[in-house]
Amino acid sequence: MMTLDETDRRILTHLQRDASMAFDGLGQAVNLSRNACWRRIKALEAAGVISKRVAVLDPQSVGLGLMVFIMIRTNAHAPDWLEQFRNATRTIPEVLGVYRMSGDLDYLIRARVADMGDYDRLYQRLIHRVPLSDVSASFVMEEIKDTTELPL
């Protein structure tokens, strides 16, 4: 694990907000030369601190205005079932996140779909790929906060 100093944290904070920021502007913002800033970013990438740089899209603009959380409870906990579940969820593009949970809930899926009909098609694909014992969903009515920025 790489130890981050205050300059690394400032660089990462700026990149989380705008990964397209030019090295000149980023260097000025964190009081480094362009080249020193570039070297630090390359080191952060090599260490795995920066895992990728992406564009964050507006879901409404691309026709995916409905966020859904799918809660799954299962009676199957065998390694082969888990591998089947992992493969199924990883290959469905609408699925944005899959989490194995503690407590009553076994798995939580975060997905983006166009509408209720689109959610039903996602649900049908999922249950055809892997046996599930209890599936319920909650639909987001208002997104109060949704960010990819980690607190540094």
Side-chain angles (χ1 to χ4, degrees):
M1 186 168 133
M2 181 177 185
T3 302
L4 302 176
D5 65 16
E6 189 55 37
T7 301
D8 291 329
R9 290 178 189 282
R10 288 195 329 261
I11 289 170
L12 292 169
T13 296
H14 284 282
L15 288 178
Q16 285 188 105
R17 291 183 185 140
D18 183 3
S20 68
M21 202 172 183
F23 289 124
D24 290 331
L26 183 57
Q28 285 177 354
V30 298
N31 297 319
L32 286 178
S33 71
R34 176 187 200 285
N35 289 338
C37 193
W38 179 84
R39 283 191 300 276
R40 281 191 180 241
I41 291 170
K42 288 300 172 190
L44 291 163
E45 288 174 331
V49 175
I50 298 174
S51 57
K52 60 181 155 180
R53 298 189 221 180
V54 300
V56 178
L57 308 180
D58 173 54
Q60 297 286 342
S61 298
V62 295
L64 297 171
L66 184 60
M67 171 93 77
V68 58
F69 288 92
I70 305 165
M71 286 90 39
I72 296 175
R73 290 176 184 84
T74 183
N75 296 326
H77 295 281
D80 60 328
W81 181 90
L82 180 55
E83 189 60 30
Q84 184 181 5
F85 179 74
R86 282 182 176 149
N87 290 337
T89 55
R90 286 178 179 159
T91 60
I92 298 174
E94 295 89 344
V95 172
L96 304 178
V98 180
Y99 314 94
R100 189 164 53 94
M101 307 296 288
S102 65
D104 291 344
L105 191 60
D106 292 313
Y107 298 92
L108 180 66
I109 297 173
R110 181 174 54 91
R112 274 273 181 195
V113 293
D115 52 31
M116 290 298 283
D118 204 19
Y119 166 70
D120 188 49
R121 287 183 287 280
L122 165 65
Y123 170 79
Q124 295 296 327
R125 274 185 287 158
L126 184 60
I127 64 171
H128 281 93
R129 293 181 184 186
V130 62
L132 302 171
S133 60
D134 182 23
V135 180
S136 61
S138 289
F139 300 91
V140 174
M141 295 172 51
E142 178 185 7
E143 292 180 37
I144 296 169
K145 181 178 181 179
D146 185 26
T147 183
T148 60
E149 291 182 40
L150 300 177
L152 300 176

